[in-house]
Amino acid sequence: MQMISGACSRRLAALLALASVGYAASTTTPSAQRAPLLTVTSPQAGAQLNGQSLLAEIQIQPEAIRNTLAAVLNGKDITGQFAVKAPCRGAVCTETALLTQADGLIKGQNVLRLRIKGWGANTTRARVVFAWTPGNPTGVNDGDITELPQPNYNFTTLTPGGYRSTGEPWFQISSNGLHGVTRNYPAQPPMCGGRGYTYTLVQIDRNNLNEVATTCLNTPDVDAALKAVPSTQFAVFGTNSTYNADWQNLNTLPIGGTDFRGNAPSAEVPYGYMVLGIGKAPYGVAMESYNTGYEVNEASLTQILGVLTRNGHSLFDYHPFDYITYSIDGPNKRATFDGQTFTPPPTLPATGFWVFPFTRYTFAPMAGTQGIVYDATKASDLTAMNTLLSNLTWRQMAVVIGWGKQPGLSLPQNLNPLVTTLASMGVPYTTIQQMTSDQAAMAALVTPDPTVSIALPNRRVPFSMTPSENGQTGQLVGSLGRDKYYLYRSMYTAQADLSSASPIDASFLKTIWLPNSTWPMMDSTSRVNAYKYLSNRILHVVWPDKLPAGPTDDIRYIYTSSAANLLTKVHPDADPAFTYPVGGTYTNPDTGESYAFTESDLSGVARQLRAEFGALAQVLPFLGTSSTGANLLGRMIENDNAWMPAWVTGNTIILNQSPWVNQSGPIGFSFDDLVYQSSALTPNQAAMGNPLFAPIEGMLGELVIAVGSTGAMDVNNNGVPTAGYAVNTTIKDFVFNYVTWVGNADRAYDQIIDLAVSDWNRLQMLSLAIKSKWFLDDYSVLDHSPTLQLGANRFFYTTFMRTYYSHDAYWFTSTTDPLKVGSMKEECSFGSCTPQCRGVYTDSPSPNSSTAFSSFPPNGKYDLFQIATPIKDNESKLMTVQTPGADLGLMLFGTEQANGQFAMPKDVWFTMGALPVRSGADSPQYGYGGCVLP
């Protein structure tokens, strides 16, 4: 078996030092106490340049270690292009690089990133965004300094239900910046539907958001048109108003959509259809919105809303923004979504279930606001509940809460339809059997959509029950977000204690992905002029010698630059440098523009800017510009012992020492997986030890998810994210590929910071949360780091096992003989299994010598065995079993997390089979490897 050498973790750390080039921030406090190790003198942030090439110039301080310099231009490593301009012994060293299109320079917006280390913990990282146009043959940096496009934009569908042939635009891309633009697409709307065309295609440049082309299409022309879209363009494609999709011939795979051809006629196929995709993207990258035959009301009309953010390749990506926070409280029988609480009727049976179904597209309740209650002592109620759940479609979801002793449900799953139905949606088979007391309760958020994984290691089903040997309370918190079909699913889940005065907070994803809104005090000409006056005066006061590049009448343009921290001590409402000018007019000395405004408007705008600067003082150090306190950028990605690199290096021992790891086995991975394993299976140990840590648990988990779903999983490093922000690779390739992913995560972090500071709603809400509930300092960070590492350990260990072993289970079958593993015939029916296929399965009620496995309640129902001999055929009865060592059981299921035990819930581990798929195209692309039961 091929093994990775013991030096891989050292090589990984070295490569990560090169890969982590990102946001313009130092891991030290940005003040005079410690000067930055590196300064970019050219190009300036906000510059608009032209020429055949571009001369980049940097200055490196003597305290820097020059050979640690790393530079990336639009995702391409250009470190080797920099050379010393003059001898620099003991002095500031100037290095230059002459860059051309061959080095990654592109027409339009460009992103240059640099990083260098000094002695001790000092590190400086810089990011410069500038515009460049090929033209002037002199090769010098010339051209006017003008405004740049904003860091992010809203994407809004203007005509839900399809493009209309009435001269109306279909959708809009807009900014809240002073110099941001609002563009409607198509700019000159063609009469597509009016001329008998079914579809319209709009192509948009992902760098500058210019409309490239708009084309009216019918079915015979769609395939060639979509295949011709390059990866540097968005493709917005859909049905024209009053037309239904020709779904029997609809294939949008060339832009990352779905191949609907071959689907059997049913209400599940698209009628109205809209997709926002990327040329040449793999399946799953596009956002698809459509209504089916039973979704014909106004609210269900096809539309896409979201945010466009610029990635490390200076190309825009799309992300949906309408997240929903939720909590589900089993013991108290209630569910809350975005602050609205839903409860069953007041009169309830002593033992029962409450089901609250809703649509995943519009979040509309399907059975009223009180759902449906079922008496668990009545067979007719249980049959009715099973009928309701069985009739849910994959475009629907339901809260399921159960309570009390559950009589009549202790039959094996194959003899109890309700238990089988619940298990098919992710509720472990053993749940009902363990509800043996009046205080028992369970809570789950389920859907029959088979792409929501119910199996480890990529399990995605929110579930909790009490009593539980893993400390679950029957309570959950989390957030719902849009998947690739524009349908809600749980994006973050955590076991919760909802009775705590400081419960887990799951608001970060909802906050960071809020749409851009108009800045306050910008609703009149007088107030806009007052803002321009203050912006110009602040720029000249803070930068008296040389103004930063960019507009001289828009101080908010500085918020996304490395200089934003200099604004945190500015008091525009109190400093005499910003008083009301004589006569109420002011002339901008840089542009000659004259501003007239009232004193009261100036006062209001000044107070608003003071509030914004105060919020920046909270958010910037918290997210990553301080050496003390949070410094989440450094702790997650940048520092030598950062969490994201450690998640892999901490597991290389498994790669190196475990003989059962199949190095060629596939692994499906996303950063969401690690977060789920750290929070959704068992309560956070740090939060249990100190309730003040609970709110930040949710914030940290959702921050990792936000970074991971903002382009971090750009596997080919070409500016196109992978499907679901997840990747498939092999164990032997994973470690070295992970270097690229962490580097991309570093650049994705830029987008998160830009989002945080470029809108007042986001900035204010984050600032208030930091001050009021996100308690985070050096000590609490250290407490949370092992929790996230535990999630990584659980995920990778489970994944590695499944590359070699398969998982089989028997429940309550007294005659099961380990030598007659009949269901193994299912394992090897895929064609990918070999005669050497091995399996891990559980058996009941045969005793197991390993107490770590046989102690699972009730009455030691679960035992674990290994298949020790090769499987000769699909129904081989010539196999022998061996009992794994007790150390394996303790590692997997022991509760002492501090001692390296994973505390895996046994019911989830033993009863969740492999992942089904709705169709081949809908597979989440998570490969378990080995032989896995369907």
Side-chain angles (χ1 to χ4, degrees):
M1 179 180 299
Q2 180 180 356
M3 305 301 294
I4 295 177
S5 72
C8 71
S9 60
R10 294 190 297 274
R11 175 174 171 79
L12 175 65
L15 290 172
L16 285 170
L18 176 62
S20 299
V21 180
Y23 192 78
S26 170
T27 56
T28 61
T29 303
S31 67
Q33 297 178 3
R34 182 178 289 178
L37 299 171
L38 178 148
T39 303
V40 181
T41 54
S42 177
Q44 294 187 46
Q48 183 166 339
L49 310 170
N50 58 54
Q52 295 299 309
S53 60
L54 181 144
L55 185 65
E57 182 178 281
I58 60 176
Q59 292 186 339
I60 302 174
Q61 297 298 317
E63 297 82 7
I65 305 173
R66 284 177 50 205
N67 62 5
T68 65
L69 174 68
V72 173
L73 176 63
N74 298 323
K76 186 172 183 178
D77 182 15
I78 58 167
T79 308
Q81 298 298 101
F82 279 91
V84 177
K85 186 176 182 180
C88 47
R89 299 185 186 90
V92 174
C93 185
T94 300
E95 295 198 15
T96 60
L98 188 63
L99 305 175
T100 67
Q101 289 174 298
D103 302 307
L105 196 62
I106 59 177
K107 180 180 179 180
Q109 307 308 307
N110 290 258
V111 181
L112 173 64
R113 288 177 169 81
L114 301 107
R115 176 180 181 273
I116 198 166
K117 289 187 175 183
W119 301 109
N122 193 13
T123 298
T124 293
R125 308 161 74 252
R127 180 185 64 157
V128 177
V129 181
F130 62 95
W132 178 80
T133 303
N136 192 322
T138 62
V140 299
N141 294 348
D142 57 357
D144 297 328
I145 304 299
T146 61
E147 300 82 30
L148 291 176
Q150 306 302 302
N152 46 74
Y153 291 81
N154 289 348
F155 182 98
T156 307
T157 302
L158 299 177
T159 60
Y163 172 58
R164 301 171 185 170
S165 294
T166 57
E168 299 174 82
W170 186 9
F171 56 91
Q172 182 181 89
I173 296 177
S174 59
S175 166
N176 65 349
L178 178 67
H179 296 282
V181 297
T182 296
R183 300 179 184 177
N184 294 327
Y185 303 79
Q188 297 179 336
M191 298 291 289
C192 290
R195 304 205 317 265
Y197 288 96
T198 302
Y199 305 106
T200 297
L201 168 65
V202 182
Q203 296 169 240
I204 303 171
D205 190 304
R206 292 176 62 206
N207 180 269
N208 54 32
L209 301 181
N210 288 336
E211 181 180 340
V212 177
T214 294
T215 310
C216 306
L217 297 169
N218 273 324
T219 294
D221 308 313
V222 169
D223 188 63
L226 298 184
K227 287 180 178 178
V229 179
S231 62
T232 55
Q233 292 179 10
F234 284 122
V236 184
F237 170 82
T239 51
N240 296 319
S241 180
T242 73
Y243 285 79
N244 287 334
D246 178 15
W247 57 266
Q248 296 95 333
N249 299 293
L250 181 60
N251 174 23
T252 57
L253 280 175
I255 57 172
T258 299
D259 186 353
F260 293 96
R261 298 171 300 178
N263 282 347
S266 72
E268 302 297 316
V269 297
Y271 279 44
Y273 178 80
M274 181 178 185
V275 57
L276 172 56
I278 295 174
K280 316 302 181 188
Y283 165 79
V285 169
M287 175 60 75
E288 298 176 90
S289 170
Y290 62 85
N291 63 293
T292 63
Y294 56 86
E295 297 169 319
V296 293
N297 56 72
E298 189 73 21
S300 298
L301 292 178
T302 163
Q303 63 176 319
I304 292 176
L305 305 171
V307 177
L308 304 181
T309 58
R310 190 181 296 278
N311 64 28
H313 292 260
S314 201
L315 300 172
F316 281 97
D317 294 324
Y318 164 84
H319 201 289
F321 59 46
D322 48 347
Y323 280 78
I324 295 174
T325 59
Y326 72 85
S327 66
I328 304 175
D329 189 341
N332 293 297
K333 307 174 187 64
R334 61 192 176 202
T336 301
F337 294 88
D338 268 357
Q340 183 178 4
T341 299
F342 301 90
T343 59
T347 302
L348 299 173
T351 300
F353 292 95
W354 177 53
V355 180
F356 178 70
F358 55 91
T359 66
R360 294 174 60 199
Y361 185 66
T362 61
F363 194 74
M366 298 167 53
T369 58
Q370 292 188 318
I372 305 175
V373 174
Y374 300 96
D375 189 331
T377 65
K378 297 179 180 179
S380 59
D381 274 23
L382 298 180
T383 299
M385 177 178 170
N386 182 62
T387 299
L388 182 146
L389 292 175
S390 299
N391 287 337
L392 292 178
T393 77
W394 65 279
R395 298 174 68 84
Q396 297 163 349
M397 183 173 277
V399 173
V400 178
I401 289 177
W403 63 89
K405 293 181 181 180
Q406 294 293 342
L409 295 182
S410 60
L411 296 173
Q413 76 279 3
N414 59 340
L415 299 178
N416 193 307
L418 177 57
V419 173
T420 300
T421 299
L422 287 170
S424 71
M425 298 182 189
V427 177
Y429 282 115
T430 58
T431 301
I432 307 302
Q433 284 81 19
Q434 293 183 76
M435 298 179 68
T436 58
S437 71
D438 294 334
Q439 290 71 42
M442 62 147 291
L445 185 61
V446 300
T447 174
D449 184 351
T451 65
V452 177
S453 175
I454 65 171
L456 293 172
N458 306 105
R459 179 178 162 82
R460 280 289 184 274
V461 179
F463 167 80
S464 182
M465 72 169 297
T466 184
S468 167
E469 66 178 27
N470 298 289
Q472 295 180 1
T473 61
Q475 299 174 321
L476 296 164
V477 298
S479 58
L480 304 178
R482 300 286 190 179
D483 65 10
K484 75 173 298 291
Y485 290 110
Y486 209 68
L487 303 177
Y488 281 114
R489 70 170 62 187
S490 182
M491 297 298 177
Y492 170 76
T493 304
Q495 298 289 330
D497 178 6
L498 296 176
S499 64
S500 170
S502 56
I504 293 171
D505 179 62
S507 65
F508 182 79
L509 282 173
K510 181 178 180 64
T511 301
I512 202 65
W513 291 115
L514 284 171
N516 291 323
S517 58
T518 302
W519 290 93
M521 300 297 296
M522 297 290 284
D523 54 348
S524 71
T525 301
S526 174
R527 289 176 173 179
V528 171
N529 283 343
Y531 170 76
K532 291 181 176 180
Y533 158 72
L534 285 173
S535 295
N536 187 258
R537 291 295 303 131
I538 292 170
L539 285 167
H540 280 275
V541 169
V542 178
W543 291 274
D545 299 324
K546 183 178 182 181
L547 297 182
T552 62
D553 59 355
D554 184 11
I555 194 62
R556 292 181 181 123
Y557 192 79
I558 301 295
Y559 290 4
T560 57
S561 75
S562 60
N565 61 286
L566 298 178
L567 300 175
T568 59
K569 299 185 184 304
V570 176
H571 302 158
D573 58 338
D575 193 321
F578 312 121
T579 56
Y580 189 64
V582 177
T585 61
Y586 174 79
T587 300
N588 186 323
D590 309 298
T591 65
E593 185 180 4
S594 181
Y595 312 134
F597 46 92
T598 67
E599 189 169 8
S600 62
D601 283 340
L602 175 64
S603 178
V605 173
R607 288 194 300 270
Q608 173 62 29
L609 286 178
R610 174 73 177 271
E612 293 172 21
F613 297 166
L616 288 173
Q618 293 287 333
V619 172
L620 291 176
F622 184 85
L623 287 178
T625 61
S626 174
S627 61
T628 59
N631 183 22
L632 292 181
L633 172 61
R635 296 184 186 280
M636 284 179 56
I637 304 169
E638 163 64 24
N639 295 349
D640 289 339
N641 59 346
W643 299 347
M644 285 187 172
W647 290 338
V648 167
T649 57
N651 282 281
T652 53
I653 186 173
I654 297 176
L655 295 172
N656 290 321
Q657 297 183 3
S658 298
W660 43 263
V661 172
N662 176 10
Q663 295 292 320
S664 297
I667 177 174
F669 168 78
S670 74
F671 288 115
D672 300 28
D673 294 320
L674 311 189
V675 175
Y676 184 94
Q677 295 278 4
S678 70
S679 64
L681 299 178
T682 57
N684 180 286
Q685 296 300 302
M688 291 176 66
N690 186 338
L692 290 176
F693 293 170
I696 196 66
E697 175 194 345
M699 185 273 161
L700 291 176
E702 292 197 333
L703 175 62
V704 174
I705 292 172
V707 169
S709 61
T710 316
M713 288 306 179
D714 175 6
V715 179
N716 298 317
N717 200 31
N718 63 359
V720 178
T722 52
Y725 302 101
V727 297
N728 287 290
T729 183
T730 62
I731 298 297
K732 64 183 178 182
D733 295 330
F734 177 81
V735 173
F736 298 110
N737 288 342
Y738 190 74
V739 174
T740 299
W741 304 332
V742 172
N744 288 336
D746 194 5
R747 296 154 203 163
Y749 202 100
D750 296 349
Q751 296 169 261
I752 298 302
I753 295 182
D754 284 351
L755 282 165
V757 301
S758 59
D759 176 78
W760 176 235
N761 285 339
R762 296 191 293 261
L763 182 61
Q764 181 183 41
M765 293 176 69
L766 292 172
S767 173
L768 292 174
I770 292 167
K771 290 190 291 186
S772 63
K773 57 185 177 182
W774 291 346
F775 174 74
L776 192 64
D777 61 12
D778 287 335
Y779 299 103
S780 56
V781 166
L782 294 177
D783 281 329
H784 281 282
S785 179
T787 300
L788 290 166
Q789 181 68 61
L790 172 67
N793 294 346
R794 285 173 172 168
F795 171 77
F796 288 120
Y797 199 96
T798 307
T799 302
F800 297 153
M801 286 194 72
R802 284 177 177 261
T803 66
Y804 197 70
Y805 293 116
S806 290
H807 182 187
D808 191 12
Y810 291 88
W811 295 268
F812 305 94
T813 305
S814 60
T815 59
T816 301
D817 183 348
L819 298 181
K820 300 176 181 179
V821 191
S823 64
M824 293 299 288
K825 63 185 179 182
E826 299 286 348
E827 289 190 1
C828 295
S829 64
F830 288 94
S832 60
C833 296
T834 68
Q836 297 299 317
C837 177
R838 293 169 169 79
V840 172
Y841 74 100
T842 58
D843 181 59
S844 169
S846 300
N848 190 334
S849 59
S850 172
T851 57
F853 294 99
S854 61
S855 62
F856 180 71
N859 305 320
K861 288 291 184 182
Y862 292 88
D863 299 322
L864 187 71
F865 297 91
Q866 294 174 202
I867 304 301
T869 57
I871 297 174
K872 301 299 183 183
D873 55 60
N874 287 348
E875 298 181 62
S876 173
K877 298 180 180 179
L878 301 176
M879 295 177 290
T880 58
V881 298
Q882 62 187 26
T883 302
D887 56 342
L888 177 60
L890 289 173
M891 176 179 288
L892 288 174
F893 309 115
T895 59
E896 297 295 328
Q897 296 178 9
N899 295 329
Q901 298 168 11
F902 296 167
M904 298 287 285
K906 295 179 185 176
D907 53 350
V908 175
W909 170 270
F910 283 126
T911 66
M912 291 296 98
L915 179 69
V917 293
R918 185 166 54 249
S919 69
D922 282 330
S923 171
Q925 308 298 308
Y926 284 131
Y928 291 117
C931 303
V932 183
L933 285 169

